[in-house]
Every structure is written in C-alpha cells, then in structure tokens.
C-alpha cells in the first residue's frame, strides 16, 4: 500500500484508510464484534495503517472495538478519533450538540485513551466547530495535550476557511476531515486551496458518496430505520433517480479501466492531490479488498478531464443532510 504524508505535518498514513464508524453505528445494526475485529486486522495485513473512529460512534463502542482490534499492532498504525459532541438533552439524547469546552476536551481525551487501549491519540479531531467556544481555545487545549504527550497531531472536521486559519495559527492543523467525493465537490471551491496554502492534509469521509457511487442503489432502494441514509435528502427515491447520471459516468469509466465503480470513485480522489487520504468504510471483507484495490487504479489526465467535463453538466438533487444537521456545519 502506498503511503502518503498529510500536508506538512509529517504524519504518514496509508493512501487509503479505513473508516470504522459503520461497524458500530449509522449504517444499520452493529456488526458482530469479533467479525469486525477480524476485518480491522485483515486491513492491517493488507497495508492499511490509518484507522478512523470517534467517541460518539456507538456511542463509545466503536472506540472500544478499534482499540481491541489494533492493540497487538499499536506501534504500526495511526488511530484518529474525535471530540466535540455530547448528547443534547433537549432532544432526549437522540441528537448531539457541540461541546468543545476545554474541560470537556480533556475529559474526552482521557476516556478515549482508555477505550483505545493506548497512551497517545495519533490524530485528535474536533468533530464539529463549536460556535460557543473560540477556536483558539480549542486549538490551545489540544496544543497542551500534545505537550503532555497524550496527543500527537491536531485535526479539524467540517471546519470552514476562517476557523481553519484561526486554529492553524494557534496550533498547526495536520488534517481536515470533511466529506468529499464526486458526489460532493464543494471543498474544491475554498477549502482545498486553503489546505494547500497552509500545508494541511485532507481526509475525505464518505468518499463513495455513502455508497451511492458504487451503483448499488436506485429509486426503489429502501433503508432500515437504523441506517441514517433513511433521513438524508440525497437518498429519497426522487433524488436517487435524478442522480443516477453520476453513477452512469462512474460505471462508464469503470468498464474502460477494468475496475469497479467504487475503485474509480476512490482513484479519482487519490488523483486530486498527493496529500489526500480517503477513509471508506465497510463491514465486508470483499468490499475492503475492492476498496484497497483502488490504490492500483491509475486514471489518466484524459480520464480525469472527461470526468470533470461530464460531471459538471450533471445537476445533483438533494442536500447532504437534514436542515438541523446542516446548521451545525461551519461555513
């Protein structure tokens, strides 16, 4: 597996990482714990060194899963986790609210270290910007944790340009994690140029468009109530039907390159910048093998130009998230 450096940070990770959220949360019922441990360890055997989790995935159970799975190879891998959420009592605990108070960041760090069975968090992201806490205070708290040896690198997730700049001035940001794929290209406008300017790595989540770019869904697809796609505007029958043109583009390129649609979607991301490391998630071994195979797919300049030209003519239907969640995203 090719290795990449996240920006100017010096943090080396596998070109393709593994997002572990779906093993415990978000995409239907949790997977069998022992099977998921086996899958994570298989990923290590296949060259993956970059694993992503968060305290709220589960909550808490995903960190425990990742910690147990990676304990035997802890010195060979990079573990990223996140702080910045807590259950919202006004919503009966069903929804999370932002909480990046310095004392809460410290509480999360200590709890995450225990669940992950480690003495240092490699990459500690603020999960979402907290409008109630100055970003300098957040960055400063993580800076102190780095000095104490409890954290190695600081990251942000779904942060906007101004907060990226302000945080980076207080404590260098190693990586930004945000959604980015052929299905969501907004970061190309302002975010990616700023990351390049400041030397910050980019870790795209949902690089397969939450599964949409694999071509496995159509207007008749339905989702379990435990699958958060059941409430996403881009996964209504109308949106799925309207957006099939993008899947057709990926399928066409997949046939040309003797690859799968998922591999083309990931190869497209890898071709954008050398400091991008996507983190597709899965609970299935054959999907893991398929995703990692994308590292060997090379798209030519003509391929990329054609994909840009055709995709620019496609008007995608549906927002990323319901309005309540969209309001939590820093712009």
């Amino acid at each position: 597996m090719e290795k990449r450096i996240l920006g100017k940070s010096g943090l080396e990770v596998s070109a393709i990482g593994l997002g572990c959220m779906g093993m415990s949360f978000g995409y239907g019922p949790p997977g069998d714990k022992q099977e998921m441990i086996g899958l994570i360890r298989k990923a290590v055997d296949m060259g993956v060194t970059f694993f992503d989790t968060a305290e709220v995935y589960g909550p808490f159970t995903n960190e425990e899963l990742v910690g147990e799975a990676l304990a035997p190879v802890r010195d060979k891998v990079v573990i990223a986790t996140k702080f910045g959420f807590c259950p919202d009592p006004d919503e009966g605990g069903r929804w999370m609210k932002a909480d990046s108070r310095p004392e809460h960041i410290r509480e999360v760090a200590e709890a995450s270290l225990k669940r992950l069975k480690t003495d240092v968090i490699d990459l500690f992201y603020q999960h979402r910007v907290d409008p109630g806490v100055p970003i300098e205070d957040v960055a400063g708290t993580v800076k102190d944790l780095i000095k104490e040896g409890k954290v190695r690198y600081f990251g942000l997730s779904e942060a906007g340009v101004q907060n990226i700049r302000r945080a980076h001035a207080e404590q260098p940001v190693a990586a930004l994690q945000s959604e980015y794929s052929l299905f969501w290209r907004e970061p190309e406008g302002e975010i990616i140029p700023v990351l390049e300017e400041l030397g910050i790595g980019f870790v795209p989540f949902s690089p397969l468009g939450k599964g949409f770019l694999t071509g496995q869904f159509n207007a008749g697809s339905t989702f379990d109530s435990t699958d958060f796609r059941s409430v996403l505007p881009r996964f209504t029958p109308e949106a799925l039907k309207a957006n099939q043109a993008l899947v057709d583009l990926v399928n066409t390129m997949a046939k040309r390159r003797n690859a799968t649609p998922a591999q083309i979607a990931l190869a497209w991301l890898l071709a954008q910048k050398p400091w991008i490391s996507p983190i597709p998630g899965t609970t299935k071994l054959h999907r893991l093998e398929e995703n990692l195979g994308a590292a060997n797919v090379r798209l030519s300049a003509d391929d990329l130009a054609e994909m840009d030209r055709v995709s620019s003519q496609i008007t995608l239907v549906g927002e990323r998230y319901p309005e309540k969640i969209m309001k939590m995203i820093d712009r």
Side-chain angles (χ1 to χ4, degrees):
M1 171 70 72
E2 169 197 350
K3 298 289 183 63
R4 293 189 165 196
I5 305 293
L6 292 178
K8 296 178 181 177
S9 68
L11 179 56
E12 184 180 71
V13 298
S14 51
I16 298 175
L18 181 60
C20 299
M21 181 188 81
M23 298 178 181
S24 307
F25 168 86
Y27 285 100
D32 176 81
K33 184 176 181 180
Q34 292 307 311
E35 288 183 11
M36 296 303 99
I37 287 174
L39 186 67
I40 291 172
R41 290 178 177 170
K42 184 64 176 178
V44 175
D45 293 341
M46 296 176 68
V48 176
T49 65
F50 191 24
F51 295 85
D52 185 85
T53 183
E55 61 156 353
V56 295
Y57 298 163
F60 312 126
T61 54
N62 197 245
E63 281 188 327
E64 293 169 350
L65 169 69
V66 171
E68 183 174 344
L70 295 176
V73 292
R74 180 64 187 93
D75 60 335
K76 299 178 182 178
V77 297
V78 171
I79 299 176
T81 193
K82 309 175 191 75
F83 65 86
F85 275 140
C86 69
D88 188 345
D90 293 337
E91 296 285 347
R94 293 183 302 110
W95 294 91
M96 294 290 168
K97 66 176 182 178
D99 185 355
S100 284
R101 293 169 297 128
E103 59 269 32
H104 184 64
I105 296 173
R106 286 189 163 275
E107 290 170 359
V108 173
E110 295 297 340
S112 291
L113 286 167
K114 291 178 182 176
R115 288 190 289 266
L116 291 169
K117 300 182 185 299
T118 187
D119 56 3
V120 63
I121 296 167
D122 295 309
L123 179 55
F124 205 28
Y125 293 106
Q126 183 188 33
H127 211 148
R128 293 291 184 274
V129 170
D130 184 346
V133 179
I135 197 73
E136 291 81 1
D137 292 352
V138 174
T141 302
V142 178
K143 184 176 186 177
D144 290 341
L145 290 169
I146 291 172
K147 289 177 180 177
E148 295 165 20
K150 296 177 180 178
V151 171
R152 292 181 62 211
Y153 293 94
F154 174 41
L156 297 173
S157 181
E158 295 276 30
V161 167
Q162 294 308 311
N163 277 313
I164 292 171
R165 290 189 181 279
R166 288 169 55 194
H168 191 70
E170 177 67 27
Q171 165 61 38
V173 176
L176 175 77
Q177 181 178 138
S178 290
E179 183 168 358
Y180 180 42
S181 71
L182 280 165
F183 201 35
W184 182 255
R185 297 181 63 171
E186 185 180 87
E188 294 173 354
E190 296 184 349
I191 296 297
I192 289 179
V194 168
L195 300 183
E196 188 150 37
E197 173 195 338
L198 298 178
I200 298 172
F202 193 18
V203 180
F205 71 77
S206 297
L208 298 176
K210 299 179 175 63
F212 178 73
L213 294 174
T214 66
Q216 61 181 302
F217 303 121
N218 57 45
S221 297
T222 58
F223 301 92
D224 187 85
S225 61
T226 58
D227 187 323
F228 79 131
R229 288 172 294 195
S230 64
V231 299
L232 298 185
R234 282 201 168 185
F235 284 83
T236 63
E238 297 78 17
L240 288 170
K241 181 179 180 180
N243 295 332
Q244 282 299 312
L246 187 59
V247 174
D248 294 341
L249 166 62
V250 176
N251 280 334
T252 297
M253 192 59 64
K255 292 175 182 176
R256 182 182 304 173
R257 287 295 171 194
N258 193 29
T260 68
Q263 289 171 341
I264 293 297
L266 291 170
W268 178 86
L269 269 176
L270 292 172
Q272 300 307 303
K273 298 291 180 182
W275 36 266
I276 286 178
S277 179
I279 49 169
T282 186
T283 59
K284 299 178 176 64
L285 177 58
H286 73 278
R287 291 296 188 193
L288 173 67
E289 294 170 338
E290 176 185 0
N291 291 345
L292 299 185
N296 299 317
V297 176
R298 296 291 183 265
L299 296 173
S300 69
D302 287 344
D303 291 336
L304 295 167
E306 179 180 343
M307 293 177 75
D308 278 345
R309 178 181 59 79
V310 176
S311 63
S312 69
Q313 298 169 2
I314 299 172
T315 300
L316 294 172
V317 174
E319 263 290 8
R320 291 172 61 198
Y321 296 117
E323 183 178 358
K324 179 180 181 66
I325 298 178
M326 288 301 296
K327 288 179 178 178
M328 298 179 68
I329 297 175
D330 185 42
R331 292 290 179 89

